[in-house]
Amino acid sequence: MSGSGMGAEAGARTARSRALAVLRIRGRALAVALLPAAAAVILLVGGSTGHLPGAGWDLARRLLTPLAVLVLLVAAGVALVVARARPAMSPTVPIAEEAAPDLYRMVRDLADRLDVPAPSAIALTPDCDSWLEDRTHPAHGPPPAEKHADIANAGRPARVRTAAPVLVIGSPFLWWMRVGELRAVLAPVVAGTGPSAHPDIAAARRFVQGLDAAVAVASEPRRGPVFRGVLAGVGWVARLLLRGCRGHAAEMERGVAAAAAERAQAVDYGLRIVAQEQVGLAYAGWDRLLTRVALPAWRMGRWPSRLNAGVVAALTELSRRDRLAEGFASRLGERPACDLLEEPGAVDEAASLLAARLFHGGPAEIGPAWSPVHWDDYPEEVVDRKWRTDAARLHRVLDALRVPPAPGESPASDAPTLTRVLAHLASPTTPAEPPTGPTAPGEPTRPTEPAAPAPPATTTAPARPATLAPSAPSAPPAPSAQPLDPAPDDEDLAGTTARSAALAARLSAELAREEAAAASAPAGAEGPAPAGTPDPGPLRDDRALPLFPLQPPRSARELLADHITAMVCCAAMDTVGATPGLDWLDGPTLLLGGARAADLSPQVLALIEDGDPSALSRWLTRQGIRPEKPVRLV
């Protein structure tokens, strides 16, 4: 016997022994539940036949019989909840065989070569991972054999419920990997159907999944003290059994994985090494695309409809920048794995919508406030809109703070200018530089005026976020800003000036108010899903969305930096003809003369932290940007 075969057999034996240990725990729990009933039956039979006479045996019968009935009722209730509770199911995009015959054929051939049962169906997940998932529970709906031809049991009647798990594939793999690489990556996953088909392992998995689902049911909020008390008891019993099964179940899964890995060693071994490198690269590109590119669009109520195609563009760009990745570009001439799908665009759109739900918590349907955006339209519909929306919010907060116009501007002017922001955030000890940008043709040069010192901030408590009111354009500006120091426990704003901290706090409150208003507003009419888009299926609990948040909420300092940067970008677009752009690795970017402006962040941070606008003013002068000119807002 080969070493690979011996290793696979050893892993399978370990998995089966651990599965039997889990089933023994189930048997012991059943025995404990039946023990009082068995003792009560013995006492009752002994009394009726005259073998156990006397007052003591009569008392034992009167006490033990109700206890046995109560224990049986509790055991029946726990068993009913465990049997009827729906095990957790990963939200995925199901792929029917008619939608991807070549993919199903490849998986079937791979299973035949590994000598294991083929998966019952294939689904995609918007993540860089692949696994087998058991969906044979009746609560999951009819099995794939009843929906379409089962690739594992094509000759069996449809009424036979298959035990083969569903193969879940990470959607970025299909777009970035080549067909051979995907086959090599899926080999150890598909090999796991062999140990999973063993009756003891399948029964142990169903028992553990049922207990986990029962705990979830018992943890849901319920009305009524009696119902809550009953479910609390069920949850306690389920958790007790789970604690006893946890170690054995974990070792069982390790044995299954070891057996599958050993069995797959003989399949495309050399290609698997290269494919594993592509797995790490795809994960890095996918994570960066979501956090840098998709997240700004999701926050604007738009979701990129071709995320997986964007992964290819991002990783191709990475291969151009990183010398270590130069060899990866040559792979692009080979057949991509997404060619195994009949309609890759529709599948990509469905996976992109599901990704927006899982990572951001967006709606399940397309609507007026949740519409798709294509990559060609991303700079204009997302980047430009994001910057102008942030700039408008910044000036609304300045209006609410009664910040006066910038020096040299008309007191009655309410035009949004970058100079107003610079003058307000300049420290009283740091004079703001006058705008020195070029004068537009035909426009007289404005005489240079010394910058007036900004009004000092007071030391009273900050205003509550709930009292933030929208600005009133008709109200005359007050001679000084409203009292607004940062909260004393806000460590993020400790390294900033008082005015930066106050403005950041009000921006955070304004954004929180807008998000709360958007969450409480009716969703509005939602349009149908795109034609040909596979149904991703409902999530188990929409209240838990997002299931995998990408990053914590932005801090007040980050919000202020984003809003000032947006104001600078708006001024650049409106005065020197700069354009919004999309960088596949860094997200929204400003293009000045077709080149990316990559040196803006240090100047903005100097203004926020030190109250010194000189570095930013010099940067504006070098680029020819005129901060005193009004900008267009949304």
Side-chain angles (χ1 to χ4, degrees), residues 391 394-395 398 403-409 415-437 450-455 497 499-500 503 560-561 563-569 571-572 600-622 625-629 631:
L394 177 61
H395 280 277
L398 291 177
V403 174
E409 295 182 356
T417 64
L418 179 58
T419 303
R420 183 191 186 194
V421 179
L422 299 180
H424 175 66
L425 292 180
S427 173
T429 60
T430 304
E433 292 190 358
T436 58
T497 64
R499 291 186 177 180
S500 296
L503 185 57
L560 180 58
H563 283 71
I564 296 176
T565 302
M567 189 64 197
V568 173
C569 294
L600 179 58
S601 297
Q603 284 73 19
V604 173
L605 290 179
L607 175 65
I608 294 175
E609 296 174 356
D610 304 328
D612 183 8
S614 57
L616 182 55
S617 297
R618 287 193 297 268
W619 186 89
L620 296 173
T621 301
R622 289 196 304 268
I625 301 173
R626 307 205 37 196
E628 78 280 1
K629 301 292 290 184
V631 300

Side-chain angles (χ1 to χ4, degrees), residues 522-603:
E526 294 182 343
T533 301
D535 181 14
L539 294 180
R540 181 178 178 186
D541 188 2
D542 286 352
R543 293 171 299 180
L545 293 174
L547 297 180
F548 313 104
L550 293 179
Q551 60 187 25
R554 289 173 292 178
S555 64
R557 182 199 296 259
E558 293 172 338
L559 283 176
L560 180 58
D562 290 346
H563 283 71
I564 296 176
T565 302
M567 189 64 197
V568 173
C569 294
C570 291
M573 290 188 294
D574 292 347
T575 60
V576 296
T579 57
L582 168 61
D583 187 282
W584 289 111
L585 298 176
D586 295 329
T589 184
L590 180 67
L591 301 178
L592 289 165
R596 178 185 175 189
D599 56 346
L600 179 58
S601 297
Q603 284 73 19

